[in-house]
Amino acid sequence: MPTQLIENTWIPMPDGRRLAARIWLPEQHPAPSILEYLPYRKRDGTAPRDETTHKVFAEAGYACIRVDIAGTGDSEGQFDDEYSEQELRDGEAVLAWIAAQDWSDGNVGMIGISWGGFNGLQLAYRRPEALKAVVSVASTVDRYADDIHFMGGCLLSDNVNWSSQMFAYLTRPADPALRADWRQDWLARLENVPFSAVDWLRHPVRDGFWKHGSVCEDWSAIQAPVLAITGWADAYVNAPPALAANLTVPTKAMIGPWEHRYAHIAKLDPADFHSEVLGWFDRWLKGQENGAEDLPAYRTYMQEHFNPTAQNGPRKGRWIAEAEWPSPQVTEQVWHLARDGFADQPGAGTQAVATPAHVGQAAGYFCPGMRVDNELAGDQAGDDALSVFFDSAPLEAPLELLGRARLKVRFTVDKPVAQLVARLCDVSPEGVSQRITYRPLNLCHYNSHEAPEALEPGRVYEAEIELNECAHHLRQGHTLRLALSTSYWPIVWPAPQAATVTLQLDGSALHLPVRQARHEDPAAAPGVASDYPVLASEVLRPSTGTSDLGTTADGSVMLETFDDYGKTRDPYHGLAVGSDVRMRYAIHPDDPASARFDTWWNFTFERDGWNVAIDTECSMHADAENFYLFRKLRATEGADETEVLTREWSETIPRGLL
């Protein structure tokens, strides 16, 4: 079906600002609409991906609208923070504007991955009249528990990493072809870009800042049907089952083998994303009786052991389905921790856990799908050897896990701040250890993420770690391993001092979600990815990526990565954009306070004699009392790189109980 592309149109906000939108219109309208609402620049940032989705949806009879959030891309105004009140209020205005257009029939759905998956749920939570259905990919229902900032009350190093990425993103100018005031606006962006890592660090507990936008605060608020999708290689695995279990409207969960990408463009076993999306929106926006509400509550790829590597490669497993979620086919088994592994009855004695600060070198990048490659979790055997682990006997029969395992521990500590990180691994007879799931806990949060407290050395505490969702089939002869450590670098920022956590084995047990299928429902697996349009960009520099792990002269372990995302020229408007990023993580095994993160981002923009370049630098390190954050910006204009602005920022933030 022919479609019409509108490269840019302006959506007025009530206060006079205008947001920039790119629109694909179907041949016949008025039609239902699909909105994707992001800060990643429709003009260049997401243009290659948008070509693969919105054009297909428009050909299927939908008006598709891709909108830049205020202060990003070509939109007017100033960006303030992720999922801010301004962003969501503007989103409501965008939805109302779409519904009022003559090409719209008034029914709007939202789609998005990551940021767009978040704000799709968050806008549904606010119940705007026009929003009738949501497809949310790789999102969260709890911004404190399951985003890129904190996990289990521990600080994630991606808090500063993501901040550095957004710092670089937010300094990019609007397109002069669309904004005559681009330079004035650019200077305002450069001067006012938020120091987000600092803002987020000022909220180390689950306070109102994080509750804003966390839809788990009131499940009943969402009244638009939700299709929630993610992949097991993604960081965001907990939301789809939680939504399926708790929402009161039609909700379906699907988790495939994919990384942090839409399934049709995933590097890990791509699948037919388009049919899933169109089936959902056909039901709830077009009113077609296509049985979308009769899909299983939870469809997932049940993984098996496949000798993991950091590089992208094929997965191994099968698709399964659960008609309802939680499923009666999943029951809890309790495996007690014992000196020689696991036991049917509570163990006896104690087990000290005190591991080097560099445990976690095989953890992979926190959110695979963001780099070019070299980002997946690899063989865990090396990290296991540095940890304390509990092994089952080789399994006499297959074991399937589906859901969230829980580790309950009774413990003492020797420091006021300590972490405990739990990993479940599938160990092959050859000794290759594949991570099934993991989760850290800041033990100061043993009782609450809202009111943590310093630990008293020697006092006996009890805590629970609810590991991230998993779906894994362990084959006969394999071993289930629980590996425990007091660090997990570089994913988790370490505690200020090396600590010993001593487990009381009589009060420590692993609670496993064991799936014993009495019958297998039809899997309703997504099909193979069909052909889709690709943006015919001119490649001026191909993308490449490297990852190097080594040891410095003083014994520190250093991970250095480089991702050149290449340089391309857009076929619609001729803008040429290039970017690359270098990251460095360093830590000494004997000193958690030696942890340091550095990153350098570079962007270039060119068209018809117009040249802009942006270089950013960010770093973070800490001692026992404080976090120290630094960032630097240099922006130039013209082929001779005339300096527009150079500025540095430094901040010191008390670390409290982190």
Side-chain angles (χ1 to χ4, degrees):
M1 180 185 297
T3 63
Q4 176 189 356
L5 174 62
I6 301 172
E7 265 295 316
N8 189 75
T9 195
W10 299 105
I11 302 178
M13 295 293 101
D15 62 2
R17 289 173 296 117
R18 299 179 304 166
L19 302 189
R22 196 174 187 220
I23 301 175
W24 296 255
L25 291 179
E27 183 177 34
Q28 297 181 352
H29 46 75
S33 305
I34 299 173
L35 167 66
E36 189 168 17
Y37 179 46
L38 295 170
Y40 302 141
R41 300 174 62 91
K42 63 176 176 58
R43 192 74 158 165
D44 48 78
T46 65
R49 187 180 75 196
D50 296 342
E51 191 82 356
T52 75
T53 54
H54 294 304
K55 190 171 183 179
V56 175
F57 302 150
E59 290 173 350
Y62 289 90
C64 296
I65 305 91
R66 170 64 185 85
V67 177
D68 287 339
I69 287 171
T72 72
D74 300 305
S75 288
E76 297 175 347
Q78 284 293 316
F79 178 87
D80 51 3
D81 196 8
E82 55 184 18
Y83 324 121
S84 69
E85 178 61 25
Q86 171 184 268
E87 174 186 330
L88 299 179
R89 189 171 58 246
D90 286 353
E92 291 177 302
V94 168
L95 288 164
W97 180 88
I98 293 171
Q101 301 309 297
D102 58 7
W103 41 257
S104 170
D105 70 0
N107 296 303
V108 186
M110 286 192 70
I111 188 174
I113 180 171
S114 199
W115 198 302
F118 280 44
N119 65 27
L121 292 175
Q122 292 165 0
L123 281 163
Y125 188 89
R126 297 162 77 103
R127 297 190 187 181
E129 182 179 356
L131 184 57
K132 300 298 196 298
V134 171
V135 176
S136 180
V137 183
S139 61
T140 189
V141 300
D142 190 325
R143 292 182 57 220
Y144 182 77
D146 282 314
D147 195 6
I148 211 159
H149 311 293
F150 297 92
M151 184 185 291
C154 297
L155 176 67
L156 297 172
S157 64
D158 259 55
N159 185 74
V160 63
N161 181 13
W162 178 238
S163 171
S164 71
Q165 187 167 344
M166 285 304 297
F167 176 44
Y169 280 11
L170 293 169
T171 57
R172 297 176 291 180
D175 190 337
L178 301 179
R179 295 276 302 273
D181 65 340
W182 74 271
R183 199 173 190 281
Q184 177 185 353
D185 179 74
W186 186 36
L187 288 171
R189 291 184 185 188
L190 296 175
E191 290 282 4
N192 297 296
V193 60
F195 203 159
S196 297
V198 170
D199 297 337
W200 299 329
L201 267 176
R202 296 190 194 280
H203 299 274
V205 301
R206 194 176 185 277
D207 57 12
F209 179 86
W210 301 111
K211 292 177 183 179
H212 167 80
S214 292
V215 301
C216 62
E217 291 295 298
D218 181 4
W219 297 107
S220 67
I222 293 179
Q223 291 298 302
V226 174
L227 172 61
I229 303 174
T230 193
W232 290 122
D234 203 306
Y236 295 97
V237 297
N238 294 325
L243 290 162
N246 291 286
L247 292 188
T248 59
V249 292
T251 306
K252 306 298 177 183
M254 182 169 71
I255 304 183
W258 316 300
E259 74 279 27
H260 196 70
R261 291 185 176 94
Y262 284 145
H264 67 293
I265 54 174
K267 296 181 180 180
L268 306 177
D269 299 342
D272 186 4
F273 178 68
H274 300 99
S275 293
E276 296 293 332
V277 173
L278 290 171
W280 195 250
F281 286 143
D282 284 351
R283 175 66 184 90
W284 305 112
L285 300 186
K286 291 184 176 180
Q288 295 181 6
E289 298 292 338
N290 61 7
E293 67 269 39
D294 299 323
L295 286 168
Y298 185 16
R299 293 173 289 160
T300 188
Y301 188 77
M302 179 68 71
Q303 298 192 109
E304 295 186 27
H305 198 285
F306 51 76
N307 289 351
T309 67
Q311 292 73 43
N312 294 315
R315 311 288 92 175
K316 184 174 290 187
R318 74 188 197 282
W319 280 90
I320 65 166
E322 294 291 346
E324 54 184 299
W325 190 255
S327 170
Q329 299 193 123
V330 178
T331 57
E332 188 173 83
Q333 289 187 10
V334 180
W335 292 21
H336 297 276
L337 275 56
R339 279 295 206 177
D340 56 353
F342 296 103
D344 294 333
Q345 300 297 323
T350 62
Q351 175 63 63
V353 183
T355 58
H358 69 304
V359 173
Q361 298 307 296
Y365 194 59
F366 172 74
C367 191
M370 307 282 278
R371 297 189 55 219
V372 174
D373 203 344
N374 307 295
E375 55 183 349
L376 302 175
D379 184 354
Q380 303 289 294
D383 284 335
D384 293 351
L386 297 172
S387 305
V388 172
F389 58 84
F390 300 82
D391 280 359
S392 72
L395 296 173
E396 296 180 357
L399 175 69
E400 284 196 350
L401 305 178
L402 181 61
R404 302 188 71 167
R406 296 181 298 126
L407 175 65
K408 293 186 176 183
V409 291
R410 183 177 296 137
F411 66 94
T412 61
V413 296
D414 67 344
K415 298 291 190 300
V417 178
Q419 301 171 350
L420 186 64
V421 184
R423 287 178 291 121
L424 284 185
C425 300
D426 176 349
V427 184
S428 71
E430 296 76 26
V432 177
S433 179
Q434 178 177 329
R435 192 182 71 195
I436 299 171
T437 182
Y438 76 100
R439 191 141 181 120
L441 177 64
N442 180 342
L443 294 174
C444 296
H445 293 235
Y446 74 95
N447 194 43
S448 169
H449 289 310
E450 297 183 11
E453 57 190 67
L455 300 168
E456 180 183 337
R459 176 182 164 187
V460 178
Y461 295 91
E462 293 183 351
E464 177 178 299
I465 302 176
E466 186 178 33
L467 281 74
N468 297 317
E469 290 280 351
C470 71
H472 194 88
H473 176 97
L474 291 98
R475 297 194 287 272
Q476 181 179 352
H478 283 227
T479 295
L480 178 64
R481 171 173 293 167
L482 169 66
L484 301 178
S485 59
T486 50
S487 55
Y488 203 48
W489 175 261
I491 286 182
V492 177
W493 199 275
Q497 297 176 288
T500 298
V501 179
T502 302
L503 303 181
Q504 312 291 317
L505 295 181
D506 62 351
S508 301
L510 179 63
H511 296 244
L512 293 172
V514 176
R515 181 178 187 263
Q516 295 174 309
R518 291 176 288 278
H519 65 277
E520 290 284 3
D521 291 320
V528 176
S530 56
D531 291 337
Y532 51 83
V534 176
L535 188 65
S537 300
E538 179 186 359
V539 177
L540 305 176
R541 187 179 73 238
S543 61
T544 59
T546 60
S547 182
D548 297 298
L549 179 65
T551 303
T552 64
D554 71 350
S556 294
V557 176
M558 183 177 294
L559 174 65
E560 291 190 282
T561 67
F562 177 73
D563 290 283
D564 184 345
Y565 295 103
K567 183 177 181 180
T568 59
R569 190 184 310 279
D570 188 279
Y572 290 106
H573 50 71
L575 185 64
V577 181
S579 65
D580 63 71
V581 58
R582 181 161 58 98
M583 291 184 281
R584 180 191 298 149
Y585 300 86
I587 198 166
H588 194 285
D590 299 331
D591 182 12
S594 67
R596 182 180 177 92
F597 171 78
D598 298 272
T599 187
W600 299 263
W601 275 89
N602 303 287
F603 276 98
T604 60
F605 297 85
E606 303 170 11
R607 187 205 286 120
D608 299 333
W610 178 70
N611 298 274
V612 161
I614 303 153
D615 300 316
T616 63
E617 175 184 347
C618 295
S619 68
M620 178 170 137
H621 66 282
D623 56 26
E625 289 79 33
N626 298 300
F627 293 107
Y628 303 97
L629 296 96
F630 168 83
R631 67 178 187 173
K632 180 179 180 180
L633 163 69
R634 182 174 185 265
T636 64
E637 185 180 4
D640 59 352
E641 298 187 357
T642 301
E643 189 171 281
V644 174
L645 179 72
T646 296
R647 185 177 172 188
E648 297 181 0
W649 296 259
S650 295
E651 292 280 354
T652 300
I653 305 295
R655 68 182 298 162
L657 299 178
L658 290 174

